[in-house]
Amino acid sequence: MGSLARAVLNWVSGGLLDKLLGFVERREAQKLAALNSEQQRAHEDRLSARAAAKDIRLATAGFWEMRLLTFLIALPFLVHLWLVAWDTYWPQPWTVEKLPPPFDEWEGAILLSFFGVSVVGSGIKAVAGAIAYRDVGRR
C-alpha cells in the first residue's frame, strides 16, 4: 500500500488502520521470532514459493490461453451453481444433484478462487508475513 493511500486511510479511520497494521506486524514478528531455524527456513521457503507463483500468474495473465483455460475450468462449477439457484428459486420438474466427491467439497473454493477472494486472503497473509520478516531482519 502506498504511503499516501495509507496516510489517507489512516486519517479516515481515525488512526485505526495504523493500530491494526501495527498489531498484525507485531503478531507476525512474534510468531516468526518463536520459530526455530528449521521452521524459519520452511517459512522462507513458503514465502519464496508464493512469490514464484505470483510471478508465474503475472507472467501468464496476459495470454488468452490462460484466460480460456481458467474459464473452461470454472465453467462447469458456475453452470452447476446457476442450475442449483434456478431450481431453488423456480422449482423445476428435474432436480440438480450435488457434485460427486471430492468436487462437492471443492466447489466453493474453486468458485471463490475464480473470483479472486482466496487470492486476496493469501495476499494479505503474504504481506503480513513479509512485513514481519522484514522487521525481524532489522534486529
Side-chain angles (χ1 to χ4, degrees), residues 58-116:
L58 290 174
T60 59
F63 294 105
W64 68 268
E65 299 92 346
M66 288 304 295
R67 290 192 295 259
L68 177 63
L69 183 60
T70 302
F71 173 77
L72 292 175
I73 289 171
L75 183 63
F77 298 101
L78 288 172
V79 168
H80 183 256
L81 174 70
W82 293 338
L83 290 174
V84 168
W86 182 272
D87 192 34
T88 301
Y89 296 129
W90 302 284
Q92 303 296 314
W94 39 268
T95 59
V96 180
E97 298 295 326
K98 71 177 190 171
L99 293 173
F103 296 109
D104 59 342
E105 297 173 8
W106 294 353
E107 183 176 27
I110 291 169
L111 291 172
L112 290 176
S113 69
F114 183 72
F115 292 108

Side-chain angles (χ1 to χ4, degrees), residues 6-104:
R6 183 175 175 167
V8 169
L9 287 174
N10 189 49
W11 178 76
V12 168
S13 69
L16 183 62
L17 180 66
D18 271 347
K19 290 177 185 174
L20 179 63
L21 289 176
F23 171 77
V24 171
E25 289 174 1
R26 285 189 305 276
R27 178 105 169 131
E28 289 298 317
Q30 290 170 349
K31 282 183 185 177
L32 196 56
L35 299 177
N36 63 32
S37 62
E38 183 177 319
Q39 291 170 326
Q40 285 180 353
R41 277 194 305 275
H43 180 73
E44 291 169 8
D45 290 344
R46 282 193 302 273
L47 290 178
S48 297
R50 286 181 185 165
K54 178 185 172 197
D55 290 342
I56 291 170
R57 280 194 308 271
L58 290 174
T60 59
F63 294 105
W64 68 268
E65 299 92 346
M66 288 304 295
R67 290 192 295 259
L68 177 63
L69 183 60
T70 302
F71 173 77
L72 292 175
I73 289 171
L75 183 63
F77 298 101
L78 288 172
V79 168
H80 183 256
L81 174 70
W82 293 338
L83 290 174
V84 168
W86 182 272
D87 192 34
T88 301
Y89 296 129
W90 302 284
Q92 303 296 314
W94 39 268
T95 59
V96 180
E97 298 295 326
K98 71 177 190 171
L99 293 173
F103 296 109
D104 59 342

